[in-house]
Amino acid sequence: MSEDLYLCQKEIRRLRWVVRCYEAQMRKMEDYLEQLEERKTLGDEAMQTVHEISDFWRQLQED
């Protein structure tokens, strides 16, 4: 196997790992925002901020 092919395969494995980590972090963020939205103890201003962040987060995911 040529050195270039080996380096390409190594980089592909690294990038797959990066994507899996990114996707896991996105799921955690989504879960966290959903939990915040369900809280009844947050004040109006805090809840408005949570909704704004959640809306922005959904837009990012769609793009």
Side-chain angles (χ1 to χ4, degrees):
M1 182 179 331
S2 74
E3 184 69 21
D4 290 339
L5 181 58
Y6 171 75
L7 291 174
C8 266
Q9 288 175 337
K10 185 177 178 182
E11 183 65 10
I12 288 169
R13 284 191 300 273
R14 187 190 72 77
L15 290 173
R16 285 180 179 158
W17 178 82
V18 168
V19 168
R20 283 193 303 272
C21 289
Y22 173 76
E23 289 172 339
Q25 289 174 345
M26 295 232 354
R27 284 190 300 273
K28 283 182 182 179
M29 179 65 139
E30 188 174 343
D31 290 344
Y32 179 70
L33 288 171
E34 286 175 5
Q35 289 173 7
L36 283 176
E37 286 182 312
E38 293 172 359
R39 284 190 183 171
K40 304 296 182 199
T41 58
L42 292 178
D44 291 338
E45 187 175 341
M47 187 55 75
Q48 178 63 31
T49 302
V50 169
H51 287 303
E52 289 174 8
I53 293 170
S54 293
D55 290 343
F56 180 73
W57 187 252
R58 285 185 198 98
Q59 289 174 356
L60 282 177
Q61 290 177 316
E62 291 173 5
D63 290 343

